[in-house]
Amino acid sequence: MTQPTTLSPARPTDPLETPGQPERTELLSIAHGAEPSGGATAGVLALFEERVRLAPHAPAVIDGAHTWTYGQIDAAADDVATALRDRVGTGDLVGVCLDRSAALVVAAVAIARLGAVYLPLGPRPGERRLAAVTEDLDVACLVGDPALLPARHREAEHIELGLPREGVNATGAVVAALTPARTDSGLRAPGGAFYAVLTSGSTGRPKALAVAEPALATLLDWYRAETGLAPGDRQSLLIGVAFDPHLMELWAGLTSGAALVPAPDDVRWDTALLTGWWRDSAISVAVAATPMVEPLLEQPWPRSLTGLRHLIVGGDRMRRRPGADVTTTVHNAYGPAEATVVTTVHTMRAAGAEAEGSGAPPIGTPVPGVTVVVTDAEGRPVARGEEGELRIGGDGLAIGYLDPALTARRFTTRADATTSTSTGATTDTDASTGTNAAAHVTGFELAGTDRLYRTGDRVRMRADGVLEFLGRLDEQVKVSGVRIEPAEVEAALEQDPAVLHAVVTAPRTPDGRTRLVAYVRLAADHAATSGDALLTAVRAWLPEQAVPSAVRVVDTFPLDANGKVDRAELTRQAAGPDPEGAPASGAPAPSTPGERIVLDAVRDLLGRPGTTLADNFTEAGGTSIVAARLLTIIERESGVRLRAPQLLRQPDLRAVAALVDSRREAAREAGA
């Protein structure tokens, strides 16, 4: 997969020589993926249309009892494109507020057919977050359930779309709500954009990133070759729609002739349901977030799960390798959205489980068309075995952010790589494209690589060219597989008039998981506001993974020697018990086995020792990932398997515990 690069003292004009530095003979931390095969020259939409021509009656989407053929998806997409053609044109952003369903698939194809830019937002992105997106970006229309759209789009002109209404996640009527006329101009997608996704932004408002069709086509070409995905196979449609791997799984299915199978939302909360769904739906290839897969690897692999050939896992650091009993080939994939979903991959098969050993697997080697470089703070490549920042180049790079100034800061030319610093300073750039407008500066050359993206990730390249992930260089963190800027969460909290100042920390739990804990100073006239009230309010601004597990109210922040907020001290405090988190005086102690199991587990998972049996799981900070872990703990400690809906329907933790106790008693009586 990789080609090594060396510096030789016998060749002082070597194109990778960094002038002014001592002569070096060691192997540099530079690796190139294989040359992409010819398939990437065909456009993504063209490959889908070729599948329609070859097998119009083959299943394209299978959702429970409902099946749509390639011909039916194609015809429905044509109808939607016709309905929108007079109002949506080439390069226009179309925000899609739909869940995993045939309707979503049709919408994606229709938008591509119009030459517009697909912007997946998810079925319930939060009204304030959605309002911020439509204020900052020049979005032509929002596609979704009219009842769930923000107020100004509910009142705007609607075009009813004839999208499929059947399926586990389907909604009722779907409209294209045209964006009302505005006096200012929002950010538009750059030319050539195929899709755009939102990433976390330090200003409190999400950043939008645009990716071109050839970059996605190159990735999909690797995906089909690696997994063998082909007609007759079934590809999961499991990833959250606003998360960029969703684009990979959706178009992988449509360009291979396989059938897409939308996952019910319940399976994303419950690992037992997930494996059962993979088996019952006859899934051949699946993509899943790391936090969902790791609990599966801690248990015996289901013997009945023989049809799942490949499992692509990503979004967070993988801490456990699959055991010898795992019959599925597991791919530990790494890649920021800025480099089109997957940059490097490490593949693990049961036959090599012993050779792999224990411990965290590496993030592997670059996929075809990708170049990776590990650099020091000045942008020079380091020797293999040394730590540094990972920079990415090659065919997989995104066009850039919709904000050209941000693109210029994070995407540098290869010449910039030797003059940029750890603060992000570069040579003069053309703000419209992010390319270097100044004369070529002296530095190393990378054949076939015009730009590099600075990931901010700390990595090490082994002597064999394999990358190991070590952490972040900046304050950005990953929570449940999603990159989060603490500053975005701080800004969202500070939208509340009760909050004067917010500081968000990201302590790690004893098992290595990251959670967010916010500290806030309140305005004098809001001194009675509680952390729980602020937590409830901020949910409307943030995606689920960015909602803190706790908000702690403080009078002052600790300061360091320079008079700045001592974030390290706050992180240390956040890793310990909440000083105000002891159970309220008079709160009843757990009195049954179920109550003890549930309450202890929730307190540990949320890092909130003040949680009581009277608290509601979601309102206390529970998320889908936390729910999955809680269900696993309950089953391990009590032998009772609850389903996610049963957990979420209960008004409080006492009711959850009562359900556990009643199931334990029923099992005991049945065994008597």
Side-chain angles (χ1 to χ4, degrees):
M1 289 285 292
T2 62
Q3 302 296 322
T5 303
T6 60
L7 288 182
S8 169
R11 298 177 56 207
T13 58
D14 187 291
L16 279 170
E17 183 86 13
T18 305
Q21 298 301 313
E23 290 182 341
R24 301 168 60 188
T25 57
E26 65 267 32
L27 207 59
L28 289 176
S29 295
I30 299 173
H32 305 279
E35 283 295 317
S37 64
T41 58
V44 173
L45 182 62
L47 287 173
F48 163 73
E49 291 173 339
E50 177 69 3
R51 290 297 170 186
V52 174
R53 186 186 66 79
L54 291 173
H57 302 297
V61 179
I62 300 173
D63 193 341
H66 306 284
T67 299
W68 291 265
T69 67
Y70 271 81
Q72 289 171 326
I73 294 292
D74 181 65
D78 254 352
D79 291 343
V80 171
T82 299
L84 295 177
R85 186 160 281 118
D86 292 339
R87 310 302 292 272
V88 177
T90 301
D92 285 343
L93 284 165
V94 178
V96 180
C97 305
L98 298 172
D99 209 343
R100 303 171 305 277
S101 60
L104 178 73
V105 175
V106 170
V109 174
I111 292 166
R113 192 157 281 167
L114 288 167
V117 182
Y118 176 79
L119 175 62
L121 299 170
R124 295 173 185 83
E127 182 161 343
R128 288 182 174 179
R129 182 176 175 83
L130 197 53
V133 169
T134 54
E135 287 168 12
D136 294 348
L137 308 182
D138 187 5
V139 177
C141 65
L142 294 178
V143 174
D145 182 339
L148 299 178
L149 298 178
R152 74 189 191 110
H153 281 81
R154 287 197 296 269
E155 298 162 3
E157 180 184 352
H158 289 178
I159 299 173
E160 189 165 347
L161 303 178
L163 293 171
R165 298 191 181 187
E166 300 81 15
V168 292
N169 303 313
T171 184
V174 176
V175 302
L178 301 173
T179 300
R182 52 193 296 174
T183 55
D184 60 334
S185 58
L187 295 170
R188 287 186 58 82
F194 185 74
Y195 72 84
V197 291
L198 301 180
T199 66
S200 186
S202 59
T203 63
R205 302 172 84 89
K207 301 174 294 189
L209 176 83
V211 176
E213 189 174 11
L216 180 60
T218 299
L219 174 70
L220 296 176
D221 190 52
W222 162 79
Y223 187 100
R224 292 189 301 270
E226 184 69 25
T227 65
L229 191 66
D233 285 334
R234 296 188 179 189
Q235 165 70 53
S236 69
L237 199 56
L238 173 67
I239 296 293
V241 173
F243 194 24
D244 64 303
H246 148 72
L247 278 297
M248 180 173 71
E249 60 178 358
L250 186 149
W251 286 105
L254 294 180
T255 58
S256 66
L260 290 167
V261 185
D265 206 46
D266 293 354
V267 309
R268 301 177 65 234
W269 295 68
D270 188 329
T271 54
L273 283 182
L274 178 61
T275 54
W277 177 76
W278 279 337
R279 180 192 62 241
D280 298 341
S281 300
I283 300 297
S284 314
V285 181
V287 180
T290 310
M292 180 59 75
V293 171
E294 287 204 315
L296 297 177
L297 301 180
E298 296 169 0
Q299 307 165 15
W301 191 253
R303 292 185 178 180
S304 59
L305 196 59
T306 57
L308 183 65
R309 299 197 311 269
H310 291 270
L311 176 58
I312 293 86
V313 182
D316 204 349
R317 183 188 303 193
M318 196 172 187
R319 298 169 179 83
R320 179 178 293 272
R321 299 170 189 254
D325 62 333
V326 177
T327 54
T328 299
T329 297
V330 179
H331 307 267
N332 183 29
Y334 162 88
E338 289 83 353
T340 316
V341 189
V342 176
T343 297
T344 65
V345 68
H346 180 69
T347 298
M348 295 167 283
R349 297 178 173 85
E354 268 190 42
E356 284 280 343
S358 59
I363 57 174
T365 54
V367 298
V370 170
T371 291
V372 293
V373 186
V374 185
T375 71
D376 60 18
E378 285 70 42
R380 293 185 294 264
V382 301
R384 295 197 178 184
E386 295 181 9
E387 298 180 11
E389 179 183 6
L390 178 61
R391 305 189 187 215
I392 303 170
D395 298 339
L397 283 193
I399 300 171
Y401 302 103
L402 271 62
D403 180 350
L406 183 58
T407 300
R409 289 197 298 271
R410 297 305 300 270
F411 290 82
T412 65
T413 68
R414 59 193 180 191
D416 294 334
T418 56
T419 58
S420 60
T421 69
S422 59
T423 61
T426 64
T427 57
D428 292 337
T429 55
D430 179 344
S432 66
T433 63
T435 59
N436 197 315
H440 184 78
V441 295
T442 303
F444 65 85
E445 299 280 350
L446 293 173
T449 302
D450 296 324
R451 299 181 301 149
L452 291 172
Y453 169 68
R454 303 187 58 184
T455 66
D457 287 334
R458 185 167 57 90
V459 300
R460 176 174 49 236
M461 184 177 289
R462 302 185 326 207
D464 59 2
V466 173
L467 284 169
E468 297 175 332
F469 182 84
L470 304 176
R472 291 287 301 171
L473 291 169
D474 56 20
E475 293 180 352
Q476 195 177 70
V477 297
K478 273 197 173 182
V479 179
S480 297
V482 177
R483 286 188 295 158
I484 302 296
E485 292 268 9
E488 177 183 14
V489 185
E490 292 167 358
L493 284 162
E494 289 167 359
Q495 298 276 357
D496 195 305
V499 177
L500 285 178
H501 187 183
V503 177
V504 173
T505 63
R508 287 191 175 272
T509 60
D511 64 351
R513 312 286 176 180
T514 300
R515 64 190 186 96
L516 299 180
V517 176
Y519 289 84
V520 300
R521 287 180 54 234
L522 298 177
D525 54 345
H526 290 83
T529 304
S530 69
D532 286 343
L534 294 173
L535 193 60
T536 299
V538 82
R539 290 180 187 277
W541 282 100
L542 298 169
E544 179 189 47
Q545 295 86 349
V547 176
S549 62
V551 176
R552 300 179 182 178
V553 177
V554 295
D555 294 327
T556 59
F557 295 117
L559 303 179
D560 62 17
N562 296 319
K564 298 180 179 180
V565 174
D566 191 340
R567 289 178 177 268
E569 172 59 19
L570 284 177
T571 301
R572 186 193 66 76
Q573 294 178 14
D578 188 340
E580 299 180 359
S585 175
S591 59
T592 70
E595 289 181 352
R596 284 191 289 273
I597 291 168
V598 170
L599 190 57
D600 288 349
V602 172
R603 285 174 174 174
D604 287 344
L605 290 170
L606 297 181
R608 301 186 70 183
T611 303
T612 70
L613 291 167
D615 288 328
N616 175 271
F617 172 74
T618 303
E619 292 174 0
T623 64
S624 59
I625 296 297
V626 174
R629 293 176 187 148
L630 175 59
L631 293 172
T632 299
I633 292 171
I634 290 173
E635 183 174 5
R636 184 180 68 232
E637 299 295 327
S638 70
V640 173
R641 178 189 290 185
L642 297 182
R643 302 300 191 193
Q646 294 169 323
L647 169 65
L648 300 175
R649 280 198 297 264
Q650 306 310 314
D652 54 31
L653 297 179
R654 181 176 285 105
V656 177
L659 196 56
V660 172
D661 286 327
S662 66
R663 293 286 181 85
R664 280 167 57 96
E665 184 61 29
R668 189 177 298 112
E669 292 176 356

